[in-house]
Amino acid sequence: MFIVFEGIDASGKSTLIKALSDKLTEKSLQYIVTREPGGTPLAEEIRELLLKNGEDAPTPRCELLLYQASRAQHVEKVIEPALKKDQWVLCDRFTASSLAFQCGGRGVSEADVNMLNNYSTAGRQPDITVLLDISVDESEKRKNSRVTETGVEKDRFEIEKIEFHSNVRNHYLKQAEENPKAWLVISGEKSPKDVLDSFLEGMNL
Ligand code: TMP
């Protein structure tokens, strides 16, 4: 089972993934937790390049290609081997992020992103993509309190304008609406317990 978790920043993906991991452990099911960009040593290095603030920020085309390079490595080295062993793959972001952020946010064409998503994944698609939907206002509040609590500064995407995040959110909702069988949309503004319950109900688990 290949499950992808998506949403704008601070939508609660990590909390849900942790809660689901605990459930799978309870049931003695084999699983891995992984993420994009990242998931392998090389892909984690690409992640750093993508998220750091500073001079010479990648152009939208360069940014898209770096995400896809990270994805190609991740799919072949981590996701496919785990699926082959019948392990559950819980993946924080995947191809839908490239559509939401690079098309919705940056304005790259969907045809280009679809073609590159298909190339980097060799056609592998999630069994289900879970969208944790929160308002951009709520996301901003959560990001700000995280900075206060942890002292970790916002990354190159987190500092983008409200309009960027609003376009990303709308693109996610559009993807989910266009392909309802492959998406499960849950409000990320509910309590972590209610989010987990909605997920388990939506998945019939
Ligand atoms: P994360 O902090 O949720 O792990 O995600 C890293 C950032 O990268 C997040 O702001 C979304 C962005 N991103 C893209 O723009 N395109 C992609 O294809 C992926 C996987 C992430």
PDB file of all heavy atoms in Angstrom, residues 9 13 36-37 47 51 67 71 92-94 97-98 101-102 155 157, ligand 1:
ATOM      1  N   ASP A   9       1.904  24.083   3.875  1.00  0.00           N
ATOM      2  CA  ASP A   9       2.803  23.958   5.026  1.00  0.00           C
ATOM      3  C   ASP A   9       2.019  23.951   6.339  1.00  0.00           C
ATOM      4  O   ASP A   9       1.029  24.667   6.483  1.00  0.00           O
ATOM      5  CB  ASP A   9       3.803  25.129   5.033  1.00  0.00           C
ATOM      6  CG  ASP A   9       4.675  25.123   3.778  1.00  0.00           C
ATOM      7  OD1 ASP A   9       5.164  24.045   3.406  1.00  0.00           O
ATOM      8  OD2 ASP A   9       4.840  26.205   3.180  1.00  0.00           O
ATOM      9  N   LYS A  13       0.607  16.984   8.408  1.00  0.00           N
ATOM     10  CA  LYS A  13       0.989  15.708   7.782  1.00  0.00           C
ATOM     11  C   LYS A  13       1.833  14.855   8.719  1.00  0.00           C
ATOM     12  O   LYS A  13       1.571  13.666   8.891  1.00  0.00           O
ATOM     13  CB  LYS A  13       1.796  15.950   6.492  1.00  0.00           C
ATOM     14  CG  LYS A  13       1.019  16.587   5.366  1.00  0.00           C
ATOM     15  CD  LYS A  13       1.913  16.857   4.160  1.00  0.00           C
ATOM     16  CE  LYS A  13       2.807  18.037   4.324  1.00  0.00           C
ATOM     17  NZ  LYS A  13       4.210  17.836   4.476  1.00  0.00           N
ATOM     18  N   GLU A  36       9.399  13.552   0.574  1.00  0.00           N
ATOM     19  CA  GLU A  36       9.975  14.263  -0.572  1.00  0.00           C
ATOM     20  C   GLU A  36       9.947  15.757  -0.306  1.00  0.00           C
ATOM     21  O   GLU A  36       8.983  16.235   0.303  1.00  0.00           O
ATOM     22  CB  GLU A  36       9.179  13.953  -1.841  1.00  0.00           C
ATOM     23  CG  GLU A  36       9.413  12.543  -2.291  1.00  0.00           C
ATOM     24  CD  GLU A  36       9.162  12.336  -3.783  1.00  0.00           C
ATOM     25  OE1 GLU A  36       8.693  13.274  -4.449  1.00  0.00           O
ATOM     26  OE2 GLU A  36       9.432  11.239  -4.256  1.00  0.00           O
ATOM     27  N   PRO A  37      10.893  16.536  -0.769  1.00  0.00           N
ATOM     28  CA  PRO A  37      12.119  16.010  -1.346  1.00  0.00           C
ATOM     29  C   PRO A  37      12.942  15.341  -0.250  1.00  0.00           C
ATOM     30  O   PRO A  37      12.943  15.798   0.875  1.00  0.00           O
ATOM     31  CB  PRO A  37      12.811  17.269  -1.881  1.00  0.00           C
ATOM     32  CG  PRO A  37      12.294  18.391  -1.050  1.00  0.00           C
ATOM     33  CD  PRO A  37      10.899  18.012  -0.697  1.00  0.00           C
ATOM     34  N   ARG A  47      17.309  18.196  -1.234  1.00  0.00           N
ATOM     35  CA  ARG A  47      16.337  18.914  -0.401  1.00  0.00           C
ATOM     36  C   ARG A  47      16.954  20.196   0.177  1.00  0.00           C
ATOM     37  O   ARG A  47      16.341  21.251   0.167  1.00  0.00           O
ATOM     38  CB  ARG A  47      15.877  17.989   0.735  1.00  0.00           C
ATOM     39  CG  ARG A  47      14.916  18.654   1.705  1.00  0.00           C
ATOM     40  CD  ARG A  47      14.590  17.748   2.884  1.00  0.00           C
ATOM     41  NE  ARG A  47      13.718  18.439   3.797  1.00  0.00           N
ATOM     42  CZ  ARG A  47      12.378  18.401   3.752  1.00  0.00           C
ATOM     43  NH1 ARG A  47      11.780  17.662   2.863  1.00  0.00           N
ATOM     44  NH2 ARG A  47      11.657  19.087   4.601  1.00  0.00           N
ATOM     45  N   LEU A  51      15.520  24.030  -0.312  1.00  0.00           N
ATOM     46  CA  LEU A  51      14.813  24.749   0.756  1.00  0.00           C
ATOM     47  C   LEU A  51      15.586  25.920   1.340  1.00  0.00           C
ATOM     48  O   LEU A  51      15.017  26.777   2.012  1.00  0.00           O
ATOM     49  CB  LEU A  51      14.417  23.780   1.878  1.00  0.00           C
ATOM     50  CG  LEU A  51      13.466  22.656   1.455  1.00  0.00           C
ATOM     51  CD1 LEU A  51      12.961  21.893   2.660  1.00  0.00           C
ATOM     52  CD2 LEU A  51      12.274  23.183   0.645  1.00  0.00           C
ATOM     53  N   TYR A  67      13.396  18.859  -7.922  1.00  0.00           N
ATOM     54  CA  TYR A  67      12.398  17.999  -7.270  1.00  0.00           C
ATOM     55  C   TYR A  67      12.298  16.661  -7.991  1.00  0.00           C
ATOM     56  O   TYR A  67      12.189  15.602  -7.366  1.00  0.00           O
ATOM     57  CB  TYR A  67      11.018  18.680  -7.236  1.00  0.00           C
ATOM     58  CG  TYR A  67      10.884  19.647  -6.083  1.00  0.00           C
ATOM     59  CD1 TYR A  67      10.811  21.012  -6.308  1.00  0.00           C
ATOM     60  CD2 TYR A  67      10.870  19.187  -4.765  1.00  0.00           C
ATOM     61  CE1 TYR A  67      10.714  21.904  -5.245  1.00  0.00           C
ATOM     62  CE2 TYR A  67      10.780  20.071  -3.706  1.00  0.00           C
ATOM     63  CZ  TYR A  67      10.700  21.424  -3.952  1.00  0.00           C
ATOM     64  OH  TYR A  67      10.622  22.294  -2.893  1.00  0.00           O
ATOM     65  N   ARG A  71      13.095  12.884  -6.747  1.00  0.00           N
ATOM     66  CA  ARG A  71      12.024  11.868  -6.833  1.00  0.00           C
ATOM     67  C   ARG A  71      12.500  10.600  -7.548  1.00  0.00           C
ATOM     68  O   ARG A  71      12.186   9.479  -7.116  1.00  0.00           O
ATOM     69  CB  ARG A  71      10.820  12.484  -7.561  1.00  0.00           C
ATOM     70  CG  ARG A  71       9.624  11.560  -7.703  1.00  0.00           C
ATOM     71  CD  ARG A  71       8.367  12.347  -8.035  1.00  0.00           C
ATOM     72  NE  ARG A  71       8.108  13.314  -6.981  1.00  0.00           N
ATOM     73  CZ  ARG A  71       7.774  14.593  -7.193  1.00  0.00           C
ATOM     74  NH1 ARG A  71       7.611  15.063  -8.412  1.00  0.00           N
ATOM     75  NH2 ARG A  71       7.583  15.402  -6.167  1.00  0.00           N
ATOM     76  N   ASP A  92       5.515  11.474   2.818  1.00  0.00           N
ATOM     77  CA  ASP A  92       5.182  12.879   3.046  1.00  0.00           C
ATOM     78  C   ASP A  92       5.530  13.644   1.758  1.00  0.00           C
ATOM     79  O   ASP A  92       6.695  13.900   1.500  1.00  0.00           O
ATOM     80  CB  ASP A  92       6.026  13.354   4.238  1.00  0.00           C
ATOM     81  CG  ASP A  92       5.652  14.736   4.721  1.00  0.00           C
ATOM     82  OD1 ASP A  92       5.080  15.519   3.944  1.00  0.00           O
ATOM     83  OD2 ASP A  92       5.964  15.035   5.892  1.00  0.00           O
ATOM     84  N   ARG A  93       4.528  13.916   0.959  1.00  0.00           N
ATOM     85  CA  ARG A  93       4.608  14.601  -0.343  1.00  0.00           C
ATOM     86  C   ARG A  93       5.093  13.672  -1.470  1.00  0.00           C
ATOM     87  O   ARG A  93       5.923  12.798  -1.248  1.00  0.00           O
ATOM     88  CB  ARG A  93       5.510  15.833  -0.327  1.00  0.00           C
ATOM     89  CG  ARG A  93       5.087  16.888   0.684  1.00  0.00           C
ATOM     90  CD  ARG A  93       5.805  18.209   0.409  1.00  0.00           C
ATOM     91  NE  ARG A  93       5.411  19.227   1.366  1.00  0.00           N
ATOM     92  CZ  ARG A  93       4.263  19.886   1.318  1.00  0.00           C
ATOM     93  NH1 ARG A  93       3.421  19.670   0.344  1.00  0.00           N
ATOM     94  NH2 ARG A  93       3.955  20.785   2.232  1.00  0.00           N
ATOM     95  N   PHE A  94       4.569  13.938  -2.667  1.00  0.00           N
ATOM     96  CA  PHE A  94       4.977  13.182  -3.869  1.00  0.00           C
ATOM     97  C   PHE A  94       4.608  14.028  -5.079  1.00  0.00           C
ATOM     98  O   PHE A  94       4.652  15.271  -5.006  1.00  0.00           O
ATOM     99  CB  PHE A  94       4.276  11.803  -3.849  1.00  0.00           C
ATOM    100  CG  PHE A  94       4.851  10.767  -4.764  1.00  0.00           C
ATOM    101  CD1 PHE A  94       6.193  10.398  -4.695  1.00  0.00           C
ATOM    102  CD2 PHE A  94       4.052  10.121  -5.716  1.00  0.00           C
ATOM    103  CE1 PHE A  94       6.718   9.419  -5.546  1.00  0.00           C
ATOM    104  CE2 PHE A  94       4.559   9.143  -6.563  1.00  0.00           C
ATOM    105  CZ  PHE A  94       5.889   8.795  -6.473  1.00  0.00           C
ATOM    106  N   SER A  97       2.610  17.343  -5.071  1.00  0.00           N
ATOM    107  CA  SER A  97       3.263  18.582  -4.602  1.00  0.00           C
ATOM    108  C   SER A  97       3.860  19.340  -5.779  1.00  0.00           C
ATOM    109  O   SER A  97       3.843  20.573  -5.798  1.00  0.00           O
ATOM    110  CB  SER A  97       4.390  18.267  -3.610  1.00  0.00           C
ATOM    111  OG  SER A  97       3.903  18.094  -2.309  1.00  0.00           O
ATOM    112  N   SER A  98       4.419  18.609  -6.748  1.00  0.00           N
ATOM    113  CA  SER A  98       5.008  19.313  -7.903  1.00  0.00           C
ATOM    114  C   SER A  98       3.917  20.028  -8.690  1.00  0.00           C
ATOM    115  O   SER A  98       4.124  21.138  -9.198  1.00  0.00           O
ATOM    116  CB  SER A  98       5.760  18.350  -8.824  1.00  0.00           C
ATOM    117  OG  SER A  98       6.873  17.829  -8.156  1.00  0.00           O
ATOM    118  N   PHE A 101       2.636  23.032  -6.170  1.00  0.00           N
ATOM    119  CA  PHE A 101       3.600  24.126  -5.929  1.00  0.00           C
ATOM    120  C   PHE A 101       4.187  24.680  -7.226  1.00  0.00           C
ATOM    121  O   PHE A 101       4.304  25.898  -7.377  1.00  0.00           O
ATOM    122  CB  PHE A 101       4.750  23.666  -5.008  1.00  0.00           C
ATOM    123  CG  PHE A 101       4.351  23.575  -3.559  1.00  0.00           C
ATOM    124  CD1 PHE A 101       3.652  22.464  -3.081  1.00  0.00           C
ATOM    125  CD2 PHE A 101       4.648  24.588  -2.665  1.00  0.00           C
ATOM    126  CE1 PHE A 101       3.267  22.373  -1.751  1.00  0.00           C
ATOM    127  CE2 PHE A 101       4.267  24.509  -1.324  1.00  0.00           C
ATOM    128  CZ  PHE A 101       3.580  23.394  -0.865  1.00  0.00           C
ATOM    129  N   GLN A 102       4.604  23.786  -8.139  1.00  0.00           N
ATOM    130  CA  GLN A 102       5.268  24.309  -9.334  1.00  0.00           C
ATOM    131  C   GLN A 102       4.253  24.827 -10.366  1.00  0.00           C
ATOM    132  O   GLN A 102       4.507  25.849 -11.005  1.00  0.00           O
ATOM    133  CB  GLN A 102       6.214  23.254  -9.940  1.00  0.00           C
ATOM    134  CG  GLN A 102       7.604  23.213  -9.265  1.00  0.00           C
ATOM    135  CD  GLN A 102       7.570  22.788  -7.805  1.00  0.00           C
ATOM    136  OE1 GLN A 102       7.092  21.711  -7.474  1.00  0.00           O
ATOM    137  NE2 GLN A 102       8.081  23.624  -6.908  1.00  0.00           N
ATOM    138  N   ASP A 155      11.610  28.287   5.778  1.00  0.00           N
ATOM    139  CA  ASP A 155      12.402  27.956   4.586  1.00  0.00           C
ATOM    140  C   ASP A 155      11.954  28.792   3.385  1.00  0.00           C
ATOM    141  O   ASP A 155      11.087  29.660   3.502  1.00  0.00           O
ATOM    142  CB  ASP A 155      12.384  26.433   4.315  1.00  0.00           C
ATOM    143  CG  ASP A 155      11.009  25.914   3.908  1.00  0.00           C
ATOM    144  OD1 ASP A 155      10.253  26.659   3.243  1.00  0.00           O
ATOM    145  OD2 ASP A 155      10.694  24.749   4.220  1.00  0.00           O
ATOM    146  N   PHE A 157      10.158  28.244   0.859  1.00  0.00           N
ATOM    147  CA  PHE A 157       8.738  28.197   0.470  1.00  0.00           C
ATOM    148  C   PHE A 157       7.859  28.836   1.538  1.00  0.00           C
ATOM    149  O   PHE A 157       6.896  29.531   1.236  1.00  0.00           O
ATOM    150  CB  PHE A 157       8.289  26.753   0.217  1.00  0.00           C
ATOM    151  CG  PHE A 157       8.808  26.237  -1.082  1.00  0.00           C
ATOM    152  CD1 PHE A 157      10.060  25.665  -1.165  1.00  0.00           C
ATOM    153  CD2 PHE A 157       8.053  26.362  -2.240  1.00  0.00           C
ATOM    154  CE1 PHE A 157      10.568  25.222  -2.375  1.00  0.00           C
ATOM    155  CE2 PHE A 157       8.546  25.917  -3.459  1.00  0.00           C
ATOM    156  CZ  PHE A 157       9.809  25.347  -3.523  1.00  0.00           C
TER     157      PHE A 157
HETATM  158  P1  TMP B   1       8.106  19.810   3.587  1.00  0.00           P
HETATM  159  O1  TMP B   1       8.771  20.857   4.401  1.00  0.00           O
HETATM  160  O2  TMP B   1       6.654  19.677   3.795  1.00  0.00           O
HETATM  161  O3  TMP B   1       8.812  18.506   3.679  1.00  0.00           O
HETATM  162  O4  TMP B   1       8.227  20.226   2.031  1.00  0.00           O
HETATM  163  C1  TMP B   1       9.260  20.908   1.500  1.00  0.00           C
HETATM  164  C2  TMP B   1       8.784  22.023   0.617  1.00  0.00           C
HETATM  165  O5  TMP B   1       8.980  21.655  -0.761  1.00  0.00           O
HETATM  166  C3  TMP B   1       7.317  22.396   0.757  1.00  0.00           C
HETATM  167  O6  TMP B   1       7.220  23.803   0.898  1.00  0.00           O
HETATM  168  C4  TMP B   1       6.691  21.985  -0.562  1.00  0.00           C
HETATM  169  C5  TMP B   1       7.833  21.983  -1.540  1.00  0.00           C
HETATM  170  N1  TMP B   1       7.707  21.006  -2.637  1.00  0.00           N
HETATM  171  C6  TMP B   1       7.557  21.468  -3.940  1.00  0.00           C
HETATM  172  O7  TMP B   1       7.499  22.674  -4.171  1.00  0.00           O
HETATM  173  N2  TMP B   1       7.487  20.551  -4.952  1.00  0.00           N
HETATM  174  C7  TMP B   1       7.577  19.201  -4.740  1.00  0.00           C
HETATM  175  O8  TMP B   1       7.507  18.413  -5.706  1.00  0.00           O
HETATM  176  C8  TMP B   1       7.731  18.737  -3.384  1.00  0.00           C
HETATM  177  C9  TMP B   1       7.845  17.280  -3.111  1.00  0.00           C
HETATM  178  C10 TMP B   1       7.788  19.668  -2.372  1.00  0.00           C
END
